[in-house]
Amino acid sequence: MTVAKGFLPRFLPFINKKPTLSQQLMLVGLTMTLVFIFLALFAPILQNVGLLQDPTEFLDNPIHTPPSLTHWFGTSRLGYDIFSRTVFGAQAALQVVILATALSMLVGVPLGMLSGYIGGRLDKVLLFIMDSIYTLPGLLLSVTLAFVVGRGILNAALAISIAYVPQYYRVVRNHTVSVKTEVFIEAAQAIGANTWQVLSRYLFLNVIQSVPVLFTLNAADAILVLGGLGFLGLGLPEEVPEWGHDLKQALAALPTGIWWTTLFPGLAMTTMVVGLSLLGEGLNEFVNPRLRKRQ
């Protein structure tokens, strides 16, 4: 049995040498991502200690006030505190993104391994299905499914996840097809290992090296898709703080000079997407030998 060959040594140059530009950008992306994860996880605690206001409370807040010491990001047309809405929006984004990418990975990775290892008619049928899904625009597919399943954290995650399943499937299947002819796979088959044993013990660690990269890049894309669903009124319930929905509500006031209601939710969404993208590109350098040789 072999495991992911050389996976740990790929990180040793980063530890022992001066980081390259791409590695420095990866650190920036990791830092940006961790900040949003911290805010998402500790938003309720920050509210309990008085550092954040209730994101759904608008009765006592003035309407359309600019950023100040009282309301750091200003208030919206309904009197919501935009800073609180932005922080709790990170919580909603993190929940949906983790669920969406995890669901697509849990479906796409096993199907890719089975398809690539077994081959034959199963491989042809799955390839046809996945290619058919892959040809559809991801946002359009998510919008269509959102109409069917309705609003909610889980429903939004389901609507978004379907577009990413073919990506995990194709990557894992291609790796499986190349690895299943290795000597250690043939040796495992010779000693009587069944399909499940070969897939779980011998193939799994050798075909998932690109999955973390795909996970971070899909997470970045899922934030944009969630924002698009929220903008169209199809993502989360209106009472849940969500960046896309807040942007939709703020657009009407933008021509009147109320700039802060669109700036901060949009900036938060953009920053989180950039952070995850930088993190994914940095991870790609470690799992892709060709990229490392260009440094």
Side-chain angles (χ1 to χ4, degrees), residues 201-228:
R201 296 182 183 180
Y202 302 96
L203 271 173
F204 180 72
L205 290 178
N206 289 278
V207 300
I208 63 166
Q209 296 184 34
S210 298
V211 168
V213 178
L214 198 56
F215 185 92
T216 55
L217 296 178
N218 283 343
D221 185 70
I223 292 173
L224 296 176
V225 176
L226 176 62

Side-chain angles (χ1 to χ4, degrees), residues 114-165:
L114 279 172
S115 180
Y117 180 70
I118 296 177
R121 182 174 298 178
L122 175 66
D123 185 42
K124 293 180 180 178
V125 171
L126 288 176
L127 269 175
F128 175 78
I129 295 174
M130 294 299 170
D131 286 347
S132 299
I133 297 175
Y134 192 74
T135 58
L136 299 174
L139 179 59
L140 179 61
L141 182 60
S142 298
V143 168
T144 304
L145 290 175
F147 270 114
V148 176
V149 300
R151 294 182 174 183
I153 296 289
L154 181 57
N155 291 343
L158 287 172
I160 295 172
S161 65
I162 189 67
Y164 303 133
V165 171

